[in-house]
Amino acid sequence: MNQRLTLVSSVVGAVVVALDGTVLTVAQPTLQRDLHASFTQVQWTSTAYLIAVASLLVFAGRLGDRYGHRRVFGWGMLGFGAASAGVGLAPGVGWVIGLRVVQGVFGALLQPATLGMLRASFPPDRLAMPLAVRTAAIGLAAAAGPVVGGALVTGPGWRAVFFLGVVPAAGFGVLALAVRGPDRAGAADTALDVPGALLLAVTLAALVDSLVAPHPWGLALSALTGVLFVRHERRTASPLLPPEVTGSASVGAALGVLVAASASLFGTLFTSTYVLQGALGLDPFQSALRSLPLAVLMVVTAPCCAVLLRRAGARRTTGAAMAVLALGVLLLSRASGTLALACGFALLGAGFGTVMVAATHVVVRQADAGSAGVAGGLQQTALNIGPTLGVAAATALMGSGTAPTLTVLAAVAALGATAARALPARSVASITQHPDERARSRVPARR
């Protein structure tokens, strides 16, 4: 694939997944009534997908490193589109839950590949802007999702929601598989660490399940398999997580920042729903209008972040963005008027949009091209664990009131700003550049 087509494919893949998640939330009440499902069953239409995708992201990224990101992306898109069509035709809620698991498996294949394709196609010094475009597109999808979903549910019905992404998924899936050319860099001969993948999958699945529906056995199983995974990775000759990725303090800090930022944001959005629709008495549409500045600022600030990374470096850019995010949460904890709410959500969007680009840039660029899929899988895992953790924390704290809950979530963002101090001070240099990358790079990377 050429660079332009790679960028378009990456953006479409990310948007298809983002739209699927946002429009599903709007469709769930109607789905529940139509299929005569219980509230628990409807919750599992989201939880089943989340567990499947979170547990497989890293291994899917390694599959892309070995067999080619474009190929894995193509099969992921085709499978995701087919599963979406299946959900739209499902006769009962049991079928919906099962097909959501299938969606999660194929979603795990395509998500790291969207980042792996960018890392393989763009020189390290030109990677920030494609990541910014991808983040801005996700922001647009987040803004459009509730509106589009509401229109489809009100008109054709909830089943139309799941047909929304079928055509683009099928089209770009076929295109990715049809294109010829180099598709991997350096990992084709690396053995797949299947035992490590299984241990990590159980660890993450148990962790997500215990966060969604708290029970001690889930955390205990996650801790046990996590210890076994670390022990296995230290002993195996071909670890699932390459040492050049896991041994990087910058990558670890960037992943921590992504977890903190997404936990703070999604915990705040969960809490704010009760403030807007409960304390302030707004209907869902009015609530969506109050939060619209979040998506707008995500779209606006993502491209600006590419410039900030060149001028200020990842450390200052990310630290300042996390501080802006924390300020937005604190403002929302005390806001009641329209202007104050708009300012709070705008700060959330500006902070999170910048963090998404800056931290993702560190994670993906620090890995060499042969480990780009694993790096993308780790980034996507952080962005799945963080929201689950944030919503779980908000749920546990809501009994003390919304203001104290939001204050704690602001403190989480502040911790992320502290973690950002471990990021590179200047432009990020990749650990290992392949010869073709050195030839393509016109500006040598600096720390």
Side-chain angles (χ1 to χ4, degrees):
M1 280 191 183
N2 60 40
Q3 290 183 342
R4 184 174 297 178
L5 181 56
T6 298
L7 178 57
V8 172
S9 298
S10 176
V11 167
V12 171
V15 166
V16 165
V17 174
L19 270 177
D20 180 83
T22 53
V23 299
L24 174 63
T25 303
V26 179
Q28 281 179 331
T30 308
L31 181 152
Q32 181 178 1
R33 291 193 300 270
D34 189 36
L35 298 181
H36 308 290
S38 67
F39 181 70
T40 300
Q41 288 174 319
V42 172
Q43 280 186 312
W44 269 101
T45 62
S46 295
T47 303
Y49 173 86
L50 184 61
I51 291 175
V53 73
S55 61
L56 295 173
L57 282 166
V58 176
F59 185 60
R62 176 49 88 192
L63 289 176
D65 291 333
R66 180 177 172 86
Y67 298 109
H69 300 297
R70 174 175 44 78
R71 183 183 302 174
V72 172
F73 171 82
W75 286 115
M77 288 288 274
L78 289 176
F80 192 89
S84 298
V87 175
L89 298 171
V93 70
W95 280 94
V96 173
I97 294 171
L99 287 166
R100 287 287 288 167
V101 173
V102 177
Q103 262 193 318
V105 172
F106 286 103
L109 286 178
L110 75 91
Q111 288 185 62
T114 62
L115 292 172
M117 290 191 301
L118 293 180
R119 177 65 181 88
S121 296
F122 288 85
D125 59 297
R126 294 176 53 199
L127 191 58
M129 189 53 73
L131 292 174
V133 172
R134 181 180 179 275
T135 300
I138 293 173
L140 280 174
V147 178
V148 174
L152 290 174
V153 172
T154 304
W158 67 267
R159 295 180 185 275
V161 165
F162 292 96
F163 292 117
L164 183 63
V166 172
V167 172
F172 278 86
V174 170
L175 181 62
L177 294 176
V179 171
R180 303 291 182 183
D183 194 28
R184 53 178 175 260
D189 298 328
T190 303
L192 291 176
D193 181 16
V194 176
L198 290 173
L199 286 170
L200 183 60
V202 174
T203 300
L204 293 174
L207 175 62
V208 170
D209 185 50
S210 63
L211 290 174
V212 173
H215 31 61
W217 67 263
L219 288 175
L221 177 61
S222 180
L224 174 61
T225 53
V227 170
L228 293 176
F229 172 71
V230 172
R231 183 181 180 186
H232 168 80
E233 289 292 285
R234 289 177 175 175
R235 295 184 176 187
T236 186
S238 300
L240 176 66
L241 301 179
E244 64 268 21
V245 177
T246 57
S248 168
S250 297
V251 171
L255 292 173
V257 167
L258 287 170
V259 170
S262 56
S264 180
L265 174 69
F266 283 88
T268 298
L269 293 178
F270 176 82
T271 306
S272 297
T273 300
Y274 289 91
V275 175
L276 295 171
Q277 298 184 27
L280 301 182
L282 302 176
D283 62 35
F285 181 71
Q286 292 172 324
S287 299
L289 289 179
R290 299 296 192 282
S291 63
L292 192 59
L294 188 155
V296 172
L297 265 293
M298 271 191 68
V299 174
V300 171
T301 56
C304 298
C305 182
V307 178
L308 289 174
L309 283 171
R310 288 196 302 270
R311 296 184 176 181
R315 182 184 302 169
R316 291 180 181 177
T317 300
T318 308
M322 290 299 291
V324 170
L325 178 61
L327 182 61
V329 179
L330 285 176
L331 182 56
L332 287 175
S333 70
R334 293 161 176 79
S336 58
T338 300
L339 180 60
L341 289 169
C343 289
F345 282 115
L347 290 173
L348 287 186
F352 188 73
T354 304
V355 168
M356 272 278 287
V357 177
T360 300
H361 186 251
V362 172
V363 173
V364 177
R365 189 175 174 180
Q366 279 287 95
D368 63 51
S371 300
V374 169
L378 288 170
Q379 186 262 6
Q380 292 290 323
T381 300
L383 290 177
N384 276 271
I385 297 296
T388 309
L389 181 62
V391 172
T395 302
L397 294 168
M398 282 287 283
S400 61
T402 56
T405 300
L406 291 173
T407 301
V408 171
L409 292 169
V412 172
L415 286 175
T418 302
R421 298 174 63 183
L423 299 178
R426 299 299 300 170
S427 297
V428 186
S430 60
I431 291 175
T432 304
Q433 283 192 359
H434 291 276
D436 61 325
E437 288 184 328
R438 288 197 294 268
R440 288 184 301 173
S441 293
R442 292 172 294 179
V443 181
R446 298 176 297 161
R447 279 194 179 275

